[in-house]
Amino acid sequence: MARQSLLFALLSLAILPFSSALKFDLAAHTGRERCIRNFVAKDTLVLVTAIIDGQKGDGQQVNMHIKDAVGNEYGKPKDIVGETRMAFTSHADAAFDVCFENQLVSSRGGSPSRHVELDIDIGADARDWSAIQAQEKLKPVETELRRIEELVGEIVGEMDYLRTREQKLRDTNESTNERVKWFAFGTMGMLVGLGAWQVVYLRAYFRSKHLI
């Protein structure tokens, strides 16, 4: 019964798309970025789709920058308008940022801004399933089952990653506790030794002065 419940939960999660869509207005400034952060496992396909309204030559220049937390660069397209797609494969288990900067090239009064629609697809959702269906001549049901199978595999992989991370944290915690324990024992031994040395030294000192 528990296995059936777990399988149903995995399939339910697989049906949900692993993507995040965001819409916002990007005011024109100089040297100020707005970043959206997401986490991705190593060797995972990511597709970033950005739709920017406006047109070139309106006094604004929107630049996009994709990077991760460990210093990897995935693209820096400049002066983007309309739909821009960028696909990359992650190089590390790390968070990545999709940053936008709206530079004010020429002032035309008012508060200029650009509307941004951002869509981030990760893993199986980043693949072009229409092309796969046409290339492999799959039926729609077969294509959907393939997609769900890959999503379930990604969920299982994520659970394995979390379990491995938990094991590493547990090992680190146990190692730290062991070191703290031996440090406490060492400190206690040093204090006892120092106390014994003080007693012997003071006794010898008082005897030399014929006080005891």
Side-chain angles (χ1 to χ4, degrees), residues 9-48:
L10 289 176
L11 290 176
S12 299
L13 288 173
I15 294 174
L16 296 175
F18 282 90
S19 61
S20 53
L22 183 64
K23 298 179 181 180
F24 57 91
D25 290 325
L26 187 65
H29 296 284
T30 302
R32 185 182 302 178
E33 287 186 335
R34 180 168 182 177
C35 298
I36 291 85
R37 173 163 292 189
N38 209 329
F39 181 84
V40 68
K42 185 180 180 180
D43 297 328
T44 301
L45 178 64
V46 179
L47 176 62
V48 177

Side-chain angles (χ1 to χ4, degrees), residues 106-164:
S106 60
S107 178
R108 298 186 178 182
S111 301
S113 65
R114 289 275 186 87
H115 183 73
V116 180
E117 182 175 345
L118 178 65
D119 188 21
I120 301 175
D121 296 309
I122 299 175
D125 284 325
R127 301 185 64 182
D128 189 351
W129 289 104
S130 299
I132 294 175
Q133 180 180 355
Q135 181 179 1
E136 300 184 13
K137 299 180 180 179
L138 300 175
K139 297 180 180 179
V141 176
E142 293 174 336
T143 305
E144 186 65 19
L145 288 176
R146 267 280 290 280
R147 188 183 73 85
I148 292 176
E149 180 183 4
E150 290 201 11
L151 288 175
V152 171
E154 291 176 1
I155 294 173
V156 173
E158 182 69 17
M159 294 175 65
D160 290 339
Y161 169 77
L162 293 176
R163 183 165 56 249
T164 303

